[in-house]
Amino acid sequence: FRDRVQDRELANSDWVLPIRFRFMEISADRRQQLEREIDDFMNQYNEAFVSGTRDDLQELVHLPVTYVSETEAQLRERYPFDPERMREVTGFHHPETEVRIVHLEETRAHLTIEGTRHRQDGSIIESIDSFYILHKIEGRWGVSVFSGIRGAR
């Protein structure tokens, strides 16, 4: 890939504002490699929800992690949810998710995730649609920001 920086002007009838845009060009092969890395990472993340602990999930975020709740953005030094407690309280057994990479750079990705959480018998506990921002820091992908809306569908 190569970086390009271009100057563009945004104008209306009263003013002109110069804006610098940075474009990252990623080859198709490199994009596929990054997508595989993210897919592997999200498989680890889901596995931590299914059978791991809060500490397992915390290993998969970059601290502090930003969680956007219903009312505010929270900067957290600890992963905000306990998957063991969630499994105990709800009977959560497995998710069914569709992950879409919306934007992708060498060290940052924006993801949307549409999913349902299921009990062992396959019955649905809830639907949840989420937005994640991942960063690759020192060669390791991790969650930097996330937010989910329950019952969005």
Side-chain angles (χ1 to χ4, degrees):
F1 76 97
R2 63 177 191 217
D3 288 331
R4 284 188 316 191
V5 177
Q6 296 181 341
D7 288 323
R8 304 247 173 130
E9 288 188 336
L10 178 64
N12 75 19
S13 59
D14 297 331
W15 51 272
V16 174
L17 176 66
I19 300 175
R20 291 179 69 80
F21 292 93
R22 182 179 176 93
F23 294 96
M24 297 286 292
E25 292 183 9
I26 299 175
S27 71
D29 288 343
R30 181 63 182 144
R31 182 176 176 86
Q32 285 179 340
Q33 182 181 6
L34 290 168
E35 288 172 349
R36 282 191 304 271
E37 289 177 13
I38 290 169
D39 187 51
D40 290 345
F41 171 80
M42 291 307 296
N43 286 335
Q44 285 181 289
Y45 192 80
N46 276 332
E47 186 59 35
F49 260 103
V50 169
S51 60
T53 66
R54 178 181 275 183
D55 289 338
D56 293 331
L57 283 166
Q58 187 154 312
E59 290 296 317
L60 299 171
V61 301
H62 293 299
L63 296 175
V65 64
T66 302
Y67 169 64
V68 181
S69 75
E70 293 83 358
T71 59
E72 64 186 355
Q74 304 168 5
L75 197 57
R76 297 288 197 90
E77 291 295 334
R78 181 157 167 77
Y79 192 82
F81 302 109
D82 182 345
E84 291 174 303
R85 175 130 171 81
M86 180 184 68
R87 291 190 300 267
E88 178 185 311
V89 169
T90 68
F92 173 71
H93 182 263
H94 66 277
E96 291 182 9
T97 59
E98 182 179 330
V99 177
R100 184 170 162 252
I101 300 171
V102 180
H103 300 120
L104 179 62
E105 296 175 337
E106 283 290 325
T107 59
R108 180 174 55 172
H110 295 175
L111 312 178
T112 59
I113 303 169
E114 295 180 357
T116 50
R117 293 178 177 160
H118 297 259
R119 294 177 189 87
Q120 188 168 3
D121 66 6
S123 62
I124 295 174
I125 299 165
E126 65 183 346
S127 68
I128 186 163
D129 291 352
S130 304
F131 177 77
Y132 280 65
I133 297 176
L134 308 180
H135 280 104
K136 189 176 188 180
I137 299 173
E138 296 178 359
R140 184 180 72 83
W141 286 103
V143 176
S144 293
V145 177
F146 70 104
S147 180
I149 298 177
R150 288 181 172 83
R153 285 174 282 122

